[in-house]
Amino acid sequence: MEGTATHNGYSTTLLGIRSRNASAPTVDTSLYSLSSEQAEFFKAQTGIDDDEDLKRHILEVQAKAYKVAPYPCIRSFVFLRLSLSNLPVYEHILELGRKRPDAVLLDIGCCLGTDGRKAAADGFPAKNIIASDLFNEFLQLSHELFKMTPASYPGCFLPGDVFDPAFLSIAAPTDDVSLAPAIDLSSLKSLNPLHGRISVISAISFFHLFSEEKQLLVARALAGLLSAQSGSVICGYHVGSLEKGIVKNTLVGSGYYGLFAHSPKTWSSLWDGEVFKKGSVKVETELVEIATRDVQFFMMKWSVMRL
């Protein structure tokens, strides 16, 4: 996740979204639940086979992460979801990892890095995966969650703020399809050396953290990183709406917060014609209706692929 958050009275959260709440809600362990797919994945990754032992381990890491930033996605265990692997474009992503020399996958706003770890487990070369978040503590807790170390997991962890030009400046999408020499990802201090060089950008539960104006800025920044090679893709999963605008959501026992959400139509036109030249990308979107104990809303699966 990227952004800053305060939790007293009216506050500006996640770089521009307004909220009203007395305080961040406390952790509710009753929200913990793993699907059979998640349980199988986390048991394989952690080496913890017992369900209660696994739950205890995850709750310990969650408590530490919630102290870093009390995001709803941490409180509600969304950070455990295998979101990237459930996107329609996922098999294409794995194929890029297998067939394109030195293909790089960037998991932006990765939180504890679950999606990148899943991609690595499914065959995308871990050494070519970059997990990036505003909070370096999240990246450290990723190793704790998966019971690994920098020595045992070769993926790259790169903390930084996408709105800091020193970390990620906005560059026009490249048209150069030639292969550039491989970069030692472990030496990176920012994303800027990767302009035009990234094959896959995953932005799960990321764009909806920002206002409409900042979503456009982030889209332009990420577009500048994407390789011009056909099949290079930016994809994600975030709050959507039938009509673009502010979607009100609730924090249990603590008021509400508002998220700006695009509709499939406005999201498609943003990428195809505003961020990229019209006709140079293929945009696919799918709205999924979600019902929780607190609220009903839409999430949008999407991908933007270079043609």
Side-chain angles (χ1 to χ4, degrees):
M1 295 298 180
E2 306 269 342
T4 58
T6 57
H7 293 276
N8 294 313
Y10 277 105
S11 59
T12 301
T13 66
L14 306 170
L15 299 171
I17 304 301
R18 298 292 295 177
S19 71
R20 178 174 177 78
N21 58 320
S23 62
T26 58
V27 170
D28 181 358
T29 58
S30 72
L31 298 175
Y32 174 85
S33 177
L34 294 182
S35 67
S36 58
E37 182 186 18
Q38 287 174 297
E40 180 182 2
F41 172 69
F42 280 99
K43 287 178 180 180
Q45 291 290 298
T46 63
I48 302 174
D49 293 324
D50 182 79
D51 289 333
E52 287 303 314
D53 288 344
L54 179 61
K55 178 179 179 179
R56 189 177 304 110
H57 169 67
I58 289 174
L59 291 179
E60 289 175 357
V61 176
Q62 182 215 26
K64 295 177 182 178
Y66 202 61
K67 288 181 179 178
V68 174
Y71 289 150
C73 67
I74 295 174
R75 182 177 184 271
S76 58
F77 297 96
V78 171
F79 70 94
L80 301 176
R81 290 181 184 169
L82 306 176
S83 297
L84 178 60
S85 59
N86 282 293
L87 294 183
V89 76
Y90 187 61
E91 288 305 317
H92 171 74
I93 290 171
L94 296 181
E95 185 176 8
L96 286 177
R98 290 191 297 267
K99 295 183 177 181
R100 181 178 292 182
D102 300 312
V104 173
L105 187 160
L106 169 63
D107 184 7
I108 192 75
C110 67
C111 198
L112 270 62
T114 298
D115 285 307
R117 301 274 187 166
K118 172 64 171 168
D122 288 341
F124 201 103
K127 65 181 180 65
N128 292 341
I129 296 176
I130 303 171
S132 182
D133 201 281
L134 180 66
F135 298 104
N136 188 50
E137 294 92 336
F138 282 168
L139 306 181
Q140 296 168 346
L141 285 170
S142 177
H143 285 311
E144 183 174 340
L145 175 63
F146 289 95
K147 298 184 78 68
M148 294 183 184
T149 67
S152 62
Y153 178 73
C156 172
F157 291 85
L158 190 63
D161 185 343
V162 294
F163 295 103
D164 179 0
F167 181 72
L168 177 57
S169 60
I170 294 178
T174 182
D175 293 322
D176 184 0
V177 297
S178 61
L179 291 176
I183 291 180
D184 178 10
L185 300 183
S186 65
S187 68
L188 291 176
K189 302 301 181 184
S190 78
L191 292 171
N192 287 328
L194 296 176
H195 281 131
R197 304 178 67 132
I198 297 182
S199 297
V200 180
I201 301 174
S202 170
I204 302 293
S205 297
F206 182 63
F207 275 90
H208 64 213
L209 302 179
F210 311 118
S211 66
E212 180 177 10
E213 295 76 13
K214 286 195 164 82
Q215 286 190 29
L216 177 58
L217 288 176
V218 174
R220 291 191 186 281
L222 295 182
L225 293 173
L226 195 66
S227 166
Q229 294 183 72
S230 177
S232 300
V233 64
I234 305 175
C235 60
Y237 182 64
H238 60 235
V239 173
S241 181
L242 295 173
E243 300 291 338
K244 80 169 186 176
I246 300 297
V247 175
K248 287 188 177 181
N249 215 328
T250 59
L251 295 172
V252 178
S254 59
Y256 67 83
Y257 63 100
L259 299 173
F260 176 80
H262 272 282
S263 70
K265 180 179 180 180
T266 60
W267 191 241
S268 296
S269 63
L270 180 145
W271 289 100
D272 185 15
E274 191 167 359
V275 173
F276 289 100
K277 288 185 293 187
K278 184 72 174 177
S280 67
V281 295
K282 177 183 179 182
V283 183
E284 295 187 341
T285 62
E286 177 188 353
L287 274 185
V288 181
E289 192 168 6
I290 305 293
T292 70
R293 67 171 71 179
D294 305 319
V295 69
Q296 195 167 24
F297 58 98
F298 289 97
M299 296 291 288
M300 183 163 55
K301 297 180 179 181
W302 58 275
S303 63
V304 179
M305 189 176 298
R306 295 294 299 255
L307 298 176

